[in-house]
Amino acid sequence: KKVSRIKLRLAYWHHWGIQSISSAMPRAKRTCIRLALLVLAASLSRAFLGRTVAAFITLPKARPPVLVLPGFGNAAEDYGEGELISTGEVVADGGLVGRLQRRGFESVEVLPVARADWLRILGGLWDEDFRAGSAPPDTAFGWYLDRVDESVKQATSRTGQRVMLLAHSAGGWLGRAALGRRSAALSENVRAVVSLGSPHRRPEADDQTRGALKFVDDNYPGAFLKSRGVEYVTVAGSAVLGDEAASQGTPERQAWVSYERLVGRGDVPGDGIVPCDNAHLDGATQITLPNVRHSIGTPKSWYGADAVIDEWLPQVTFALARQ
């Protein structure tokens, strides 16, 4: 009963404390006060109620619609009820979509991508630039970018709000590509780009994107559209230190191979697939989490795990509150 009373008081104080600040104050002063109240509410909430409730209470009243952008080889179902665990069974909590909905996000959708859709990339083999490793994103990934464009516009039309892109792995740079093309027209409908373990910088060797990621890095660098009101948050994991001497098949050895390809050296920390430095963008709010891994198949430690979400979501909320 005591905890319940504390919950109610904190929720009541948070709502009215932030919403009832006098409109007669200068806008800058109101914003500073609101941010201070958010921080204080977060501290009190974490002290009394734990991380999950703290994350919920510190969310602003208006939560943007979310569009989840799947990573390379993943399907839409992997981020919902089809999320697999190590035993081969599916999760019982609705996956990333269900976890966000329980945290107050009413509109959470996943870009409609099937696993077989990724075979479309092979169509790029007919393109000379693709074969040479200098193709722009539209050559092999235009189908993905078109779906981002369509899904964002549908979500904005349905909700009347700008969308938050929540991108996992390759979905991060693909989301940036979708935003940057066509004179960045889509940015009018996007409020934020939040990437989870995304390789954002051009690979040092063996560019499997055949020039697409280099194109994005060169033409839409860093927090490219921040001046247009698009907030950028990059989340990286540092659970695995690459080790060339580790046994074949171990996470450390696999990480060394992946990191070496992306940044030119493998003895660096990362999430097992993407090294930390490669997962961050200049000008973005950068979050590095020590025990987080890349793949959905690690259900307790990947970016979308129930406990891990509460390590980055409050900071995303804070970034949105600054807008």
Side-chain angles (χ1 to χ4, degrees):
K1 291 182 179 179
K2 182 178 180 181
V3 171
S4 297
R5 287 195 300 270
I6 293 173
K7 290 180 181 179
L8 288 173
R9 288 174 183 173
L10 283 173
Y12 178 88
W13 176 84
H14 173 265
H15 175 77
W16 290 109
I18 292 176
Q19 299 299 327
S20 63
I21 294 173
S22 174
S23 59
M25 290 183 183
R27 182 177 179 180
K29 186 174 182 179
R30 293 202 310 270
T31 300
C32 289
I33 293 176
R34 286 190 173 116
L35 289 177
L37 289 175
L38 279 171
V39 172
L40 182 56
S43 301
L44 291 173
S45 301
R46 183 177 294 273
F48 287 106
L49 307 176
R51 290 182 303 185
T52 300
V53 178
F56 176 80
I57 287 181
T58 56
L59 289 170
K61 184 177 181 181
R63 301 170 182 86
V66 177
L67 177 64
V68 178
L69 304 185
F72 184 83
N74 286 115
E77 64 195 41
D78 298 338
Y79 300 89
E81 295 180 352
E83 181 184 325
L84 293 174
I85 56 178
S86 56
T87 61
E89 302 175 339
V90 296
V91 296
D93 65 353
L96 176 61
V97 172
R99 294 162 201 149
L100 290 174
Q101 289 173 334
R102 287 196 299 278
R103 287 165 171 80
F105 289 85
E106 296 180 358
S107 176
V108 183
E109 297 185 353
V110 185
L111 191 73
V113 174
R115 234 171 293 282
D117 283 331
W118 294 101
L119 295 175
R120 293 168 178 256
I121 297 173
L122 297 177
L125 292 172
W126 299 101
D127 183 85
E128 182 177 351
D129 289 337
F130 182 87
R131 294 194 301 271
S134 58
D138 271 285
T139 300
F141 301 95
W143 59 274
Y144 190 107
L145 309 187
D146 289 341
R147 292 185 193 180
V148 174
D149 192 281
E150 181 180 355
S151 297
V152 166
K153 290 178 179 177
Q154 288 177 350
T156 299
S157 176
R158 185 180 64 257
T159 65
Q161 300 181 59
R162 297 168 69 199
V163 176
M164 182 176 84
L165 300 181
L166 181 60
H168 176 228
S169 194
W173 68 262
L174 285 167
R176 292 167 59 208
L179 274 175
R181 68 176 186 163
R182 298 172 182 170
S183 301
L186 191 62
S187 64
E188 296 180 359
N189 298 319
V190 173
R191 185 174 175 185
V193 178
V194 180
S195 64
L196 309 174
S198 297
H200 281 302
R201 304 181 187 276
R202 68 181 72 182
E204 291 293 325
D206 187 22
D207 183 4
Q208 298 180 356
T209 72
R210 309 309 299 161
L213 180 49
K214 179 181 183 300
F215 182 96
V216 174
D217 198 24
D218 287 343
N219 291 276
Y220 320 126
F224 183 67
L225 295 169
K226 196 166 185 177
S227 62
R228 295 199 185 187
V230 178
E231 192 67 36
Y232 289 78
V233 181
T234 54
V235 185
S238 61
V240 185
L241 179 66
D243 184 359
E244 185 180 13
S247 300
Q248 291 288 342
T250 61
E252 292 75 17
R253 174 64 181 179
Q254 292 175 341
W256 187 89
V257 173
S258 182
Y259 301 166
E260 176 79 13
R261 186 182 72 249
L262 287 172
V263 298
R265 56 179 297 185
D267 58 339
V268 294
D271 62 13
I273 300 295
V274 179
C276 292
D277 289 347
N278 197 264
H280 288 311
L281 287 171
D282 294 338
T285 297
Q286 300 180 1
I287 305 169
T288 299
L289 304 176
N291 300 310
V292 175
R293 296 174 183 264
H294 186 88
S295 301
I296 296 176
T298 51
K300 294 184 178 180
S301 57
W302 86 283
Y303 296 98
D306 198 48
V308 176
I309 289 175
D310 292 331
E311 296 296 327
W312 54 260
L313 185 56
Q315 297 184 63
V316 171
T317 301
F318 190 80
L320 292 174
R322 294 183 310 202
Q323 290 181 318

